[in-house]
Amino acid sequence: MKHVMIAASLLCLWGSLNWPTSSATAVQERKLRIISFGAHPDDAEIGSSGSAALWAAKGHAVKLVAVTNGDIGHFKEAGGDLYRRRKAEVERAAKLMGYTVELLDNHDGELEVTLENRKKITRLIRSWNADIVISHRPNDYHPDHRYTGVLVQDAAYMVTVPNFCPDTPHLTKNPVFLYSWDRFDKPNPFAADVVVDVDSVMEKKLDGLLGMVSQFYEGGANGDESLLNKDPEFVKKRWQVVRDRFVSRQKNIADKYRAQLTEWYGAARGGKVQHAEAFEICEYGRRPDKAELKVLFPFYN
């Protein structure tokens, strides 16, 4: 018995020692937590699902959140049936890409910048213990997009304030807040701080987006009955149009920010990238340097 007790004591002492590990090993073992907000069930997928798939493939935790339920985003359907249809569409994409998804209970087209919604966004970011938060910019064509950007931007400081939403533990380290790419120039154009090569997951991203039939094949809120044509030749051409639109979008981003791709990936790879996603750093969250960005975006290593 005495020998057993001595052995147990030695094991406890051995386990309590803090053996040194290299910083590189610590970084490799760390799992990042990313949360991306879009106004509707498809917006975060358009802006960041390629990067989300890359993070998820490396074992990092990624969640995409639709801040509204999308219940008027179709020219013909609306209400609960449309909500359920769109929920199924983004859940399919999430399963395909390896991340999780959540839809908030706000009506499409009725999102407002309220204290209640600010608290809701703050709690979500805290609960996810986010390292990176992505959203729309506050200047955009759709009011729900703009207000999602404002709500997330307003949370960029409040997530660290202990007595704001004290029911959800505050973050002791502010996340990096990012805006996903858009084409709007007024009052200020998008400025790409991070550009990600998504060539390796482009087909997967396309599969996810093309599965959102209500929005893209049928045209969403701006579609019409002509898009419900069942003629095989029409269907084939329509699918090609939808696919080409998304391919063109990601190619345009790669071409527009070719210099940044070369800077991040080197001339050989950066010059060959065909499809990319781009992000702008929000100055209200943590301001990472390039070394930290390479940790947060481990695709460059």
Side-chain angles (χ1 to χ4, degrees):
M1 179 64 70
K2 183 177 180 180
H3 293 300
V4 172
M5 291 176 66
I6 292 172
S9 298
L10 288 172
L11 284 171
C12 289
L13 176 62
W14 182 274
S16 68
L17 295 175
N18 293 319
W19 297 103
T21 57
S22 69
S23 58
T25 300
V27 168
Q28 289 172 356
E29 291 176 351
R30 180 167 177 244
K31 297 303 181 184
L32 300 170
R33 299 187 65 82
I34 300 95
I35 187 167
S36 181
F37 292 90
H40 308 103
D42 70 351
D43 288 320
E45 288 80 4
I46 293 173
S48 60
S49 65
S51 299
L54 292 172
W55 273 308
K58 289 181 173 290
H60 303 294
V62 188
K63 173 183 271 193
L64 272 57
V65 178
V67 180
T68 76
N69 60 20
D71 59 357
I72 64 165
H74 195 272
F75 70 93
K76 188 174 184 179
E77 301 175 21
D81 287 343
L82 180 59
Y83 155 71
R84 285 183 285 273
R85 184 181 183 194
R86 297 189 69 178
K87 183 173 184 286
E89 289 174 345
V90 294
E91 286 176 343
R92 173 189 173 275
K95 185 175 181 180
L96 179 70
M97 309 285 261
Y99 53 76
T100 60
V101 67
E102 182 175 351
L103 280 65
L104 303 187
D105 189 22
N106 295 304
H107 289 301
D108 189 346
E110 299 181 14
L111 185 64
E112 295 183 351
V113 179
T114 63
L115 178 58
E116 179 185 0
N117 282 331
R118 185 192 303 165
K119 288 182 175 180
K120 189 180 295 185
I121 297 297
T122 298
R123 289 187 179 104
L124 275 168
I125 295 169
R126 287 177 175 179
S127 297
W128 195 249
N129 193 21
D131 295 293
I132 297 174
V133 182
I134 304 172
S135 78
H136 301 282
R137 290 197 302 156
N139 46 302
D140 199 296
Y141 80 101
H142 196 299
D144 289 345
H145 293 201
R146 292 196 298 272
Y147 300 152
T148 294
V150 170
L151 287 165
V152 175
Q153 183 175 277
D154 286 352
Y157 173 69
M158 302 309 292
V159 294
T160 66
V161 178
N163 289 317
F164 184 72
C165 302
D167 57 318
T168 308
H170 70 286
L171 299 182
T172 57
K173 185 176 182 181
N174 207 8
V176 173
F177 284 75
L178 303 173
Y179 301 122
S180 55
W181 180 85
D182 64 59
R183 57 184 172 81
F184 303 105
D185 291 331
K186 297 179 181 179
N188 54 288
F190 178 90
D193 293 303
V194 182
V195 187
V196 177
D197 172 6
V198 296
D199 281 350
S200 65
V201 292
M202 188 59 192
E203 286 302 318
K204 187 178 286 189
K205 176 170 182 171
L206 285 170
D207 192 348
L209 292 174
L210 295 181
M212 299 174 196
V213 176
S214 71
Q215 297 309 291
F216 306 127
Y217 183 92
E218 296 177 5
N222 298 124
D224 58 63
E225 291 286 347
S226 70
L227 298 178
L228 304 181
N229 188 336
K230 301 299 183 183
D231 176 72
E233 190 61 30
F234 174 87
V235 171
K236 180 181 178 181
K237 289 180 179 179
R238 177 61 183 167
W239 277 122
Q240 192 63 51
V241 167
V242 175
R243 179 185 174 87
D244 288 349
R245 185 174 67 182
F246 284 118
V247 169
S248 177
R249 184 182 192 277
Q250 309 308 150
K251 283 188 173 181
N252 288 342
I253 292 173
D255 291 341
K256 185 177 180 68
Y257 303 113
R258 183 67 60 190
Q260 287 93 324
L261 284 167
T262 299
E263 178 184 353
W264 284 103
Y265 290 99
R269 179 174 172 183
K272 296 178 181 178
V273 174
Q274 294 297 306
H275 312 92
E277 292 177 349
F279 305 95
E280 177 180 345
I281 298 171
C282 170
E283 59 189 341
Y284 303 144
R286 192 166 81 255
R287 302 302 301 273
D289 58 19
K290 191 168 183 177
E292 185 180 4
L293 285 173
K294 285 190 173 183
V295 173
L296 294 172
F297 288 83
F299 329 128
Y300 299 125
N301 301 324

